[in-house]
Amino acid sequence: MKNYFIEMAQFNIWANNKFISWVNQLTDEQFNQEITSSFSSIQATCLHIAAAEKIWLERWQLVANPEFIATNFKGSKDELITIWQQASADILFFIETLNEENFADKFSFSRLNGDLFHMQYSKTFAHIFNHSTFHRGQLITMLRQAKFTSIDSTDILSYYREIEK
């Protein structure tokens, strides 16, 4: 199980970095342009992904009051990208350093609405990778609507083909 989630964390970094390379090519107008989706812009969607990865990492690390940074973030595109890349890298590190026998352990965390919840580490790992993939799929459509067309595949099969070259 541990090796599978390490692989998913590596895929997550690879896919996030593809999106970050595209986001770096956007004008501020494209990045902040209002586009109808789950979130109102490419910026807001990227912030949501980064914030979710960061808060899950802090929950796993048992941080007393993890912060969902999307609520109050006022930083630049570069600051957002730094947070996103660091959270993705730290998720991989956390999974690499967690003992295999602890993957099935439940831990307690507060949801954003304050409700206390208990869940296995492995299920939350599956959640965050699925969550990020879901919103990256939305970003593809948003990027196209913003007239950004230099997009290639971020599918996991593309990842496997690339790393097995």
Side-chain angles (χ1 to χ4, degrees):
M1 183 181 306
K2 180 174 182 170
N3 287 338
Y4 172 76
F5 284 115
I6 288 171
E7 189 172 283
M8 291 300 98
Q10 291 167 334
F11 163 69
N12 190 60
I13 290 169
W14 173 86
N16 284 346
N17 282 336
K18 278 189 167 279
F19 278 91
I20 288 166
S21 73
W22 300 334
V23 164
N24 276 327
Q25 297 174 56
L26 297 176
T27 65
D28 287 343
E29 182 181 334
Q30 288 171 308
F31 188 58
N32 295 302
Q33 174 184 337
E34 188 157 327
I35 299 172
T36 303
S37 190
S38 290
F39 300 95
S40 61
S41 66
I42 292 168
Q43 184 273 349
T45 306
C46 291
L47 176 56
H48 178 76
I49 296 168
E53 290 188 9
K54 185 176 183 303
I55 197 169
W56 275 108
L57 177 66
E58 290 178 357
R59 287 169 173 164
W60 299 327
Q61 294 169 329
L62 306 177
V63 170
N65 294 304
E67 178 189 7
F68 188 64
I69 63 165
T71 306
N72 298 313
F73 184 79
K74 302 286 186 233
S76 67
K77 183 193 319 182
D78 289 341
E79 290 168 324
L80 171 56
I81 287 168
T82 298
I83 291 166
W84 193 2
Q85 288 178 313
Q86 189 64 57
S88 297
D90 289 347
I91 287 170
L92 172 61
F93 181 77
F94 183 86
I95 291 170
E96 286 174 331
T97 57
L98 187 66
N99 292 325
E100 177 90 32
E101 59 270 11
N102 297 120
F103 277 64
D105 290 351
K106 284 188 175 184
F107 72 103
S108 301
F109 61 92
S110 292
R111 296 177 55 202
L112 294 179
N113 66 6
D115 290 347
L116 187 63
F117 206 73
H118 313 281
M119 189 175 262
Q120 291 176 333
Y121 282 99
S122 61
K123 290 180 180 177
T124 61
F125 298 157
H127 163 71
I128 196 59
F129 299 134
N130 184 67
H131 177 269
S132 293
T133 298
F134 173 77
H135 288 300
R136 285 191 303 259
Q138 291 179 322
L139 279 173
I140 291 285
T141 300
M142 296 173 88
L143 286 164
R144 288 184 176 130
Q145 289 177 19
K147 308 293 186 231
F148 184 83
T149 58
S150 298
I151 300 167
D152 59 355
S153 176
T154 59
D155 188 84
I156 197 161
L157 288 177
S158 297
Y159 168 71
Y160 289 142
R161 280 193 295 268
E162 187 172 306
I163 66 168
E164 292 176 5
K165 286 183 183 177

